[in-house]
């Protein structure tokens, strides 16, 4: 199975990206976690991206706040799917990071999830890997079915209480 990289621009982003790490673990997807800055360690970030496919990665998740150039810097140096997590900071409540992550130039796509949306970033990475992994696809289907059952049970409880 291909690995997923979870890269954050600063270790202060760790409380957000831990949700991605946990979610990947729930699906049995191996991941590596790194701190690379688009601005402070551009050479290391580039080297990681350039070598990611050869190193067994199938998707890359990048979390950054404020200027949030990390996902774009990584995407510029690989053809692997890159998923950006805009991280909420004290500046503009993460809107700056969201706009920086989502507004990529044509030809360098970055899939972008919600501000602090690490769990969905991980699920998107799992879905990408599941395109060529039937076992992973089945796990996704099973979780979706359980989620649907849970909602229907809640609907039944609410309906029984209020629809008399």
């Amino acid at each position: 199975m291909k690995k997923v990289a979870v890269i954050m621009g600063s270790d202060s982003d760790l409380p957000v990206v831990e949700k991605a790490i946990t979610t990947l673990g729930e699906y049995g997807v191996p991941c590596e976690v790194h701190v690379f800055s688009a601005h402070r360690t551009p050479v290391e970030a580039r080297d990681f991206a350039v070598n990611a496919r050869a190193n067994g990665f199938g998707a890359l998740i990048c979390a950054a706040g404020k200027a949030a150039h990390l996902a774009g810097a990584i995407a510029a140096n690989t053809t692997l799917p890159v998923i950006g997590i805009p991280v909420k900071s004290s500046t503009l409540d993460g809107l700056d990071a969201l706009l920086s992550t989502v507004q990529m130039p044509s030809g360098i796509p970055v899939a972008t999830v919600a501000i602090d949306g690490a769990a969905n970033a991980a699920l998107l990475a799992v879905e990408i890997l599941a395109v060529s992994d039937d076992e992973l696809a089945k796990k996704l289907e099973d979780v979706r079915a359980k989620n649907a059952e849970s909602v229907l049970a809640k609907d039944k409880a609410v309906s029984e209480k209020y629809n008399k």
Side-chain angles (χ1 to χ4, degrees):
M1 175 183 300
K2 297 281 188 181
K3 300 181 286 187
V4 173
V6 178
I7 307 165
M8 63 200 101
S10 167
D11 64 347
S12 65
D13 301 328
L14 190 55
V16 171
V17 301
E18 282 179 331
K19 293 175 187 135
I21 297 163
T22 300
T23 301
L24 292 167
E26 290 169 355
Y27 284 88
V29 173
C31 74
E32 282 186 21
V33 183
H34 296 279
V35 177
F36 294 125
S37 169
H39 304 109
R40 295 181 195 103
T41 60
V43 172
E44 292 81 0
R46 179 190 177 284
D47 289 348
F48 185 87
V50 166
N51 295 300
R53 185 181 303 274
N55 288 331
F57 292 94
L60 310 173
I61 297 172
C62 298
K66 297 186 180 182
H69 294 137
L70 182 60
I74 295 292
N77 289 290
T78 186
T79 56
L80 288 173
V82 175
I83 304 160
I85 305 170
V87 176
K88 183 178 181 177
S89 67
S90 60
T91 308
L92 301 175
D93 285 333
L95 184 58
D96 49 349
L98 174 64
L99 294 174
S100 292
T101 306
V102 77
Q103 292 288 10
M104 291 301 299
S106 182
I108 308 294
V110 170
T112 307
V113 296
I115 296 168
D116 291 349
N120 270 352
L123 288 171
L124 181 54
V126 171
E127 289 177 345
I128 289 166
L129 298 181
V131 168
S132 60
D133 186 325
D134 292 339
E135 185 178 323
L136 205 49
K138 177 75 169 103
K139 287 180 183 179
L140 284 164
E141 291 169 10
D142 291 347
V143 169
R144 293 253 178 121
K146 283 182 185 178
N147 289 342
E149 288 173 17
S150 174
V151 170
L152 293 175
K154 291 173 185 178
D155 172 63
K156 182 178 178 185
V158 168
S159 293
E160 286 175 355
K161 182 174 180 177
Y162 294 103
N163 298 334
K164 296 180 183 184

